[in-house]
Amino acid sequence: QEGKMRVLVLSLMAASAAAFAPSSFLAPSLRSSASVSRTRTSPLALDMKIAVFGASGLTGAEVTYQALQRGESVVALARTPSKVTKPEGSCGADAVTELLTDPNLTVLGGSVTNQADVDAVFAEGDVTSVVVALGGKTADVGETMLTDGTGNIIKAMKSNGVKRIAVVTSIGAGDSEDQAPFFFKVLMWTAMKKIFTDKNNQEALFFNGPGKDLE
């Protein structure tokens, strides 16, 4: 199963600096990005249309921006579309208040926990791959948002024949628990217990749940 499923694992502590390298957009390898805005170069384009869930977050915004710079099309779902702004990692701190716009970008407002909102993303047509970069405070998004939302995405992917997915989780989730520093484990067992329960259940969807046959 692990050979079929590639789960993209990021540390919560490093998420603000994470950026996809141009040569590894949907691969597990990541490189920190401190560069300025990249010039779009058509030879890098892979003729993909990427659905990004969580595009208003730190990692989701970076993923969206990097894909657009490669000349790909992106359709994004965000609770608040006006918060889909330029990422600090690629564009600098002064740009984070600027709305991220591009002819190849479609941003839809909605909740990942609403199946109809998720289905609307795929109704845009020709989605070839999916990036799940969901986040938020449990008090704001609910205790099962990651699991419920990702389950909706898996259902929509199967309905639309989409197989390729990358999921941003965290060090400490699933079988990476032993890799987390001790002080972070203390947080996982206490203040962050609810979010890690949700993250573990989210990962389980792919290893022994409905998403186990996705790539």
Side-chain angles (χ1 to χ4, degrees), residues 91-122:
C91 301
D94 293 339
V96 297
T97 59
E98 299 177 20
L99 197 65
L100 180 56
T101 60
D102 190 279
N104 290 330
L105 173 63
T106 300
V107 180
L108 303 178
S111 172
V112 75
T113 59
N114 185 323
Q115 185 69 61
D117 291 343
V118 174
D119 291 342
V121 173
F122 291 86

Side-chain angles (χ1 to χ4, degrees), residues 86-172:
K86 293 180 179 179
E88 181 176 354
S90 287
C91 301
D94 293 339
V96 297
T97 59
E98 299 177 20
L99 197 65
L100 180 56
T101 60
D102 190 279
N104 290 330
L105 173 63
T106 300
V107 180
L108 303 178
S111 172
V112 75
T113 59
N114 185 323
Q115 185 69 61
D117 291 343
V118 174
D119 291 342
V121 173
F122 291 86
E124 291 292 315
D126 301 322
V127 171
T128 59
S129 54
V130 173
V131 174
V132 181
L134 300 173
K137 296 179 180 179
T138 300
D140 296 333
V141 301
E143 296 181 8
T144 60
M145 182 274 291
L146 298 177
T147 306
D148 296 342
T150 304
N152 288 340
I153 293 168
I154 291 172
K155 183 177 179 180
M157 289 178 68
K158 291 193 168 186
S159 296
N160 290 273
V162 182
K163 299 283 289 184
R164 197 175 189 192
I165 184 170
V167 181
V168 181
T169 64
S170 171
I171 189 169

Side-chain angles (χ1 to χ4, degrees), residues 7-55:
V7 178
L8 188 62
V9 180
L10 294 179
S11 167
L12 291 176
M13 299 176 290
S16 61
F20 282 92
S23 61
S24 57
F25 181 70
L26 285 178
S29 58
L30 286 172
R31 284 184 277 181
S32 176
S33 174
S35 62
V36 295
S37 177
R38 293 180 173 86
T39 302
R40 180 171 304 174
T41 53
S42 57
L44 290 175
L46 299 176
D47 193 24
M48 297 167 62
K49 187 171 187 178
I50 303 161
V52 178
F53 295 89

